[in-house]
Amino acid sequence: MANLPPSPSLKSVAPSSGPSPPPPSSSSTSDRKVFPAEQLILNLSNLELHENALHELSKKRENFHELAPLLWHSVGTIPALLQEIISVYPVLSPPTMTPAQSNRVCNALALLQCVASHADTRMLFLKAHLPLYLYAFLNTSSKSRPFEYLRLTSLGVIGALVKVDDSEVIRFLLQTEIVPLCLRTMENGSELSKTVATFIVQKVLLDEVGLEYMCTTAERFFALGRVLGNMVASLAEGPSPRLLKHIVRCYLRLTDNPRACDALGSCLPDLLRDATFSRCLYDDPPAGQWLEKLLQNISIGGRAPQGLAHMFVNEIEPQRLVFWGGNSYSLDKKVR
């Protein structure tokens, strides 16, 4: 954590140099003038003003120019946001987090998402290993609204990291537990959480490092293929064009790996081979083209010797655990 800005105690903090910002005006000017970003950031380190400042900054973050560098380089701000995050760890298990607690943490996460998405602070965010603080939220299983909101907002931070194509970001994430945590969300989350988690996996696959990593072993390929297959089956009952689009893109990217393409010839869901989702994709021509290209690639690649596909599909015993980093992703849908 040596890369974090220094952390004072949560007391009123003054700038280290330069004139103090003017106090908020009592006139009827716009909120932007009444609550300037700089003053709100200073208020984050004041116990009496902290909660309101957190709410205002999160609500108006799109209106503040260059908010991410201000958050990162102001003294004590990032530690104050991290304190919000770790303060709810004790109520994750057993799941006793209240809506108010979830809202506060999500406000802090929204500000961290600003830092994660900004070109000047993205790598600083990674080098400080800040994504690791969010993984406890992704590992929860409660389906109550406070927990679902927290998981979705945490996924939004990771999504902001991968949105800009950067192999260094993908390399960092692959050294952590983000893939099995996304797989868990893809199976058990809400539709929106599933969509964001699948988008993250898609971005990992679109990177050459990520594709190679996911296809290096049969275990990794099979874990991903099983989750994608289960999602396709569930979408047949309740279609979601946006989610289906990300699933199809994941499958299509897998066909860029020869061994994975051969294996998909045997294990691609039949629901994607027939007309089940033709109406669902009718209004999304790019997704329809991806599905057409996917089937074309498999029809060509699937003609390779059966043994290659057999290696990927059949060599894994039904209840075998798939090890990913320090955790294991079980075929009974649990992360341990």
Side-chain angles (χ1 to χ4, degrees):
M1 301 302 295
N3 295 291
L4 278 176
S7 171
S9 59
L10 285 179
K11 297 179 180 179
S12 185
V13 179
S16 58
S17 63
S20 299
S25 170
S26 59
S27 63
S28 59
T29 55
S30 67
D31 286 348
R32 173 67 187 275
K33 294 181 179 178
V34 175
F35 297 108
E38 295 85 353
Q39 185 61 56
L40 286 171
I41 289 174
L42 288 175
N43 292 349
L44 284 175
S45 296
N46 185 309
L47 282 175
E48 296 180 356
L49 305 175
H50 174 84
E51 185 170 357
N52 181 68
L54 185 63
H55 174 73
E56 290 294 326
L57 279 170
S58 173
K59 183 174 67 173
K60 303 175 183 178
R61 62 189 183 276
E62 301 295 336
N63 299 328
F64 293 135
H65 180 63
E66 294 296 293
L67 178 60
L70 285 173
L71 289 169
W72 185 264
H73 295 292
S74 57
V75 176
T77 300
I78 297 299
L81 297 178
L82 293 180
Q83 181 60 40
E84 283 289 343
I85 290 172
I86 64 177
S87 68
V88 299
Y89 283 177
V91 297
L92 297 181
S93 182
T96 57
M97 182 173 56
T98 66
Q101 289 174 315
S102 177
N103 286 337
R104 281 185 58 147
V105 178
C106 287
N107 286 337
L109 291 174
L111 297 182
L112 288 182
Q113 182 172 338
C114 289
V115 177
S117 61
H118 196 282
D120 293 342
T121 53
R122 183 182 305 111
M123 296 315 300
L124 296 172
F125 183 86
L126 279 184
K127 289 178 181 178
H129 290 191
L130 297 192
L132 302 183
Y133 284 89
L134 314 185
Y135 289 4
F137 303 146
L138 298 179
N139 203 31
T140 58
S141 57
S142 172
K143 295 185 180 297
S144 67
R145 187 171 181 178
F147 281 85
E148 179 59 30
Y149 185 31
L150 188 57
R151 282 192 295 270
L152 180 60
T153 311
S154 299
L155 288 168
V157 178
I158 307 301
L161 283 173
V162 301
K163 191 172 183 179
V164 178
D165 298 330
D166 189 331
S167 291
E168 191 170 352
V169 171
I170 301 302
R171 287 191 182 94
F172 172 86
L173 294 176
L174 290 177
Q175 294 172 1
T176 70
E177 305 302 322
I178 189 59
V179 171
L181 290 173
C182 281
L183 293 180
R184 176 176 185 155
T185 303
M186 288 161 64
E187 286 207 298
N188 301 318
S190 66
E191 179 182 322
L192 190 52
S193 290
K194 288 180 178 181
T195 302
V196 180
T198 308
F199 169 77
I200 293 171
V201 172
Q202 172 188 317
K203 296 297 287 187
V204 169
L205 287 170
L206 288 175
D207 186 90
E208 290 297 331
V209 173
L211 179 64
E212 181 181 358
Y213 181 88
M214 299 291 281
C215 297
T216 295
T217 67
E219 288 89 346
R220 292 173 186 167
F221 172 84
F222 188 81
L224 174 59
R226 178 187 177 279
V227 172
L228 291 174
N230 287 343
M231 294 174 72
V232 169
S234 66
L235 287 178
E237 302 174 1
S240 167
R242 181 170 51 176
L243 178 54
L244 180 61
K245 180 176 183 177
H246 291 306
I247 293 173
V248 170
R249 189 65 184 93
C250 287
Y251 273 125
L252 176 59
R253 176 55 172 164
L254 286 172
T255 64
D256 289 335
N257 179 277
R259 295 198 304 167
C261 185
D262 291 336
L264 286 175
S266 300
C267 65
L268 185 74
D270 290 337
L271 292 170
L272 290 177
R273 301 174 188 263
D274 55 30
T276 300
F277 296 110
S278 57
R279 180 174 298 181
C280 183
L281 298 177
Y282 180 79
D283 293 326
D284 191 344
Q289 292 170 5
W290 288 344
L291 179 56
E292 183 179 350
K293 179 64 174 175
L294 165 64
L295 298 177
Q296 179 184 356
N297 289 354
I298 289 176
S299 68
I300 298 173
R303 295 170 186 164
Q306 168 108 18
L308 199 55
H310 182 272
M311 183 204 74
F312 258 152
V313 179
N314 297 325
E315 74 173 18
I316 304 175
E317 297 176 1
Q319 297 301 320
R320 184 174 176 180
L321 290 178
V322 176
F323 288 93
W324 225 308
N327 288 344
S328 59
Y329 186 84
S330 173
L331 301 188
D332 64 1
K333 305 184 183 179
K334 296 180 182 178
V335 176
R336 298 172 183 170

